[in-house]
């Protein structure tokens, strides 16, 4: 999380030393481990920046089922694309002004998703949409679109952007000559 460490200024070396001393030897991306540490040890603006940097630097693997089978098929049950990371930032970590990060009211709600082409997409979400997706992520399963409490247009948009994917795909039978 280079932008986060740079913003620590002269205390950066001490903070990094504290992180290294507390970090366990686990097989997880360094940026994600640093962001988790920053969430409890640094100010909220720096923790927000670290979480954004970690999500962009260490994206979850693209959802191979959704990539192979597509996301546009209508389905009664939907699930969150397995690569989606939801972020709620109280500070504008997308910008990198020389001074302090701007406090946002309300917070910025983002979805970060791997495209499967080595890129990561960020989508800004309305608060009620972010809340619905957060509940779906915590449920770790599939639900009907109606259970999310979102209108059809929003559900279609979330599917078109690959954030929501069908839980099941239909088998289409074709006869070959």
């Amino acid at each position: 999380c280079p932008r986060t460490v740079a913003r620590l200024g002269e205390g950066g070396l001490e903070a990094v030393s504290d992180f290294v001393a507390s970090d366990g030897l686990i097989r997880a991306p360094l940026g994600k481990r640093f962001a988790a540490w920053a969430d409890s040890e640094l100010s909220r603006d720096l923790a927000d920046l670290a979480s954004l940097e970690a999500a962009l630097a260490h994206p979850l693997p693209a959802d191979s089922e959704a990539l192979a089978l597509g996301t546009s098929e209508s389905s009664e049950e939907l699930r969150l694309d397995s690569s989606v990371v939801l972020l709620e930032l109280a500070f504008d970590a997308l910008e990198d002004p020389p001074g302090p990060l701007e406090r946002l009211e309300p917070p910025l709600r983002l979805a970060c998703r791997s495209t499967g082409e080595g890129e990561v997409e960020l989508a800004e979400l309305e608060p009620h949409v972010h809340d619905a997706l957060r509940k779906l992520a915590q449920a770790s399963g599939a639900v009907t679109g109606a259970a999310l409490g979102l209108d059809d247009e929003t559900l279609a948009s979330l599917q078109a952007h690959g954030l929501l994917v069908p839980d099941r795909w239909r088998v289409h039978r074709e006869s070959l000559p």
Side-chain angles (χ1 to χ4, degrees):
C1 303
R3 288 175 47 204
T4 305
V5 172
R7 284 189 168 275
L8 288 169
E10 291 185 21
L13 186 57
E14 183 179 330
V16 170
S17 294
D18 291 346
F19 162 69
V20 170
S22 69
D23 190 39
L25 297 174
I26 59 172
R27 293 187 72 169
L30 181 62
K32 288 185 179 186
R33 295 189 336 247
F34 182 80
W37 175 85
D39 191 48
S40 64
E41 299 297 325
L42 298 179
S43 61
R44 177 71 193 261
D45 59 337
L46 294 175
D48 282 359
L49 180 56
S51 68
L52 177 63
E53 286 188 283
L56 295 174
H58 306 293
L60 294 173
D63 190 322
S64 58
E65 288 180 358
L67 289 174
L69 299 172
T71 60
S72 61
E73 181 165 328
S74 63
S75 173
E76 286 186 24
E77 292 196 337
L78 300 168
R79 64 175 174 81
L80 202 57
D81 179 288
S82 64
S83 72
V84 171
V85 173
L86 298 170
L87 301 170
E88 187 170 328
L89 308 176
F91 288 83
D92 191 357
L94 292 174
E95 299 296 323
D96 196 14
L101 295 176
E102 178 186 348
R103 183 162 190 77
L104 301 172
E105 199 55 52
L108 180 64
R109 292 166 177 95
L110 300 171
C112 180
R113 181 185 77 86
S114 299
T115 65
E117 299 170 358
E119 295 185 12
V120 177
E121 292 179 342
L122 279 177
E124 185 173 352
L125 303 173
E126 294 292 324
H128 72 285
V129 174
H130 185 269
D131 293 344
L133 295 183
R134 171 99 41 217
K135 288 176 187 170
L136 179 58
Q138 291 168 346
S140 67
V143 298
T144 62
L148 288 173
L150 301 173
D151 61 69
D152 290 341
E153 184 180 338
T154 301
L155 289 170
S157 178
L158 291 169
Q159 280 192 270
H161 288 93
L163 298 174
L164 288 178
V165 297
D167 186 48
R168 297 185 183 125
W169 285 264
R170 290 190 204 111
V171 175
H172 299 279
R173 295 180 186 226
E174 291 184 30
S175 297
L176 299 176

